[in-house]
């Protein structure tokens, strides 16, 4: 069973700062990794995904994947109070229908 | 545009009572469908998935069952609720051969 751990559990940053979130997974065969954003009482929304080793940038978001160390990180540049939410890392193997979510990081961006 | 609707929005039920939660997806033909459960403050846990009408695979045993009676409908149910069933139930869909999940707004269940 895939295990997905996230750190830190909670993160508080001032507006305009860089927010950095981490995720480690247990299975090197996991081929697809996503980051989701979840606001209180709502369903998660997909933000960005990565499948290949290296980095991917979309707007203020950058994600880095290192398969050798089973580690993926999400960096949010110029963090805004509206970015305050729980961020979830999710992993799965291609062509399976099992998507395993991490424990989540609660991000709070202070104005 | 695709829409996903979950019902009810919230339920308060007694231990031992039956439960039925529903999910409908419009605007997408033959999606993969999923049920997830999230205990308060807990991790999202996949319960079931379905790739076609009438076919449902169980991922975790929680004394719940699921059915897909129509291409666009996914039902989660149990005949006897436990206290441990309390939490947030989320339905999601994805395209075939892609695993980006699109979630509904969820159903908040309180079992007393």
């Amino acid at each position: 069973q895939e295990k997905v751990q996230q750190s830190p559990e909670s993160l508080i940053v001032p507006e305009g700062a860089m927010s950095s979130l981490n995720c480690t997974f247990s299975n090197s065969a996991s081929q697809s990794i996503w980051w989701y954003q979840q606001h209180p009482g709502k369903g998660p929304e997909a933000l960005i995904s990565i499948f290949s080793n290296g980095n991917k940038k979309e707007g203020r978001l950058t994600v880095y994947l290192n398969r050798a160390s089973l580690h993926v990180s999400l960096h949010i540049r110029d963090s805004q109070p509206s970015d305050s939410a729980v961020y979830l890392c999710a992993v799965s193997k291609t062509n399976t229908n099992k998507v395993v979510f991490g424990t989540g990081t609660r991000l709070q961006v202070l104005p | 545009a695709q829409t996903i609707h979950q019902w009810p929005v919230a339920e308060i039920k007694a231990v031992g009572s039956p439960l039925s939660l529903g999910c409908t997806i419009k605007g997408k033909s033959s999606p993969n469908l999923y049920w997830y459960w999230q205990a308060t403050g807990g991790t999202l846990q996949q319960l079931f998935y379905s790739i076609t009408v009438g076919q449902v695979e169980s991922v975790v045993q929680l004394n719940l069952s699921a059915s897909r009676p129509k291409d666009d409908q996914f039902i989660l149910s149990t005949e006897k609720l436990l206290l441990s069933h309390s939490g947030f139930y989320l339905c999601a869909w994805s395209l075939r051969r892609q695993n980006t999940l699109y979630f509904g707004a969820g159903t908040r269940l309180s079992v007393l």
Side-chain angles (χ1 to χ4, degrees):
Chain A
Q1 170 76 356
E2 175 78 73
K3 291 199 186 306
V4 182
Q5 295 288 333
Q6 291 185 240
S7 64
E9 210 171 287
S10 180
L11 179 64
I12 301 174
V13 301
E15 184 174 354
M18 177 79 81
S19 299
S20 296
L21 292 70
N22 298 292
C23 172
T24 58
F25 48 98
S26 60
N27 191 337
S28 60
S30 291
Q31 296 179 336
S32 307
I33 295 107
W34 296 263
W35 286 93
Y36 287 79
Q37 181 191 58
Q38 186 176 24
H39 288 285
K42 307 288 186 185
E45 282 190 42
L47 290 176
I48 189 169
S49 59
I50 189 165
F51 308 109
S52 304
N53 236 8
N55 65 78
K56 180 179 178 181
K57 187 176 179 181
E58 287 184 4
R60 294 187 294 116
L61 305 179
T62 303
V63 59
Y64 294 92
L65 172 60
N66 184 329
R67 289 197 180 280
S69 60
L70 302 178
H71 180 264
V72 60
S73 60
L74 173 68
H75 304 269
I76 306 173
R77 177 178 53 83
D78 188 24
S79 299
Q80 299 297 308
S82 56
D83 294 331
S84 298
V86 174
Y87 289 78
L88 302 169
C89 175
V91 303
S92 81
K93 296 180 195 178
T94 303
N95 293 328
T96 71
N97 293 290
K98 296 183 182 178
V99 181
V100 180
F101 281 80
T103 49
T105 292
R106 185 174 301 277
L107 173 65
Q108 188 176 358
V109 182
L110 301 178
Chain B
Q2 305 84 23
T3 59
I4 177 169
H5 174 60
Q6 284 190 245
W7 73 91
V9 172
E11 279 266 47
I12 300 175
K13 304 278 278 187
V15 169
S17 62
L19 175 77
S20 181
L21 305 180
C23 173
T24 300
I25 292 86
K26 296 298 183 187
K28 185 55 64 178
S29 179
S30 302
N32 289 349
L33 298 177
Y34 308 81
W35 277 112
Y36 276 83
W37 171 72
Q38 189 175 36
T40 301
T43 304
L44 264 176
Q45 194 167 3
Q46 189 175 1
L47 301 177
F48 299 94
Y49 68 87
S50 170
I51 63 172
T52 192
V53 174
Q55 184 180 342
V56 177
E57 298 295 330
S58 173
V59 178
V60 168
Q61 288 297 325
L62 284 181
N63 293 308
L64 296 167
S65 60
S67 64
R68 186 170 179 176
K70 302 178 188 178
D71 186 53
D72 64 354
Q73 196 173 76
F74 208 18
I75 306 295
L76 183 71
S77 60
T78 183
E79 292 186 1
K80 198 174 280 192
L81 278 166
L82 307 172
L83 283 173
S84 57
H85 286 137
S86 292
F88 195 41
Y89 288 84
L90 288 155
C91 179
W93 68 271
S94 72
L95 295 171
R96 295 289 172 89
R97 296 189 180 86
Q98 292 186 28
N99 289 89
T100 299
L101 298 176
Y102 301 93
F103 286 89
T107 295
R108 176 76 56 188
L109 173 67
S110 298
V111 182
L112 307 175

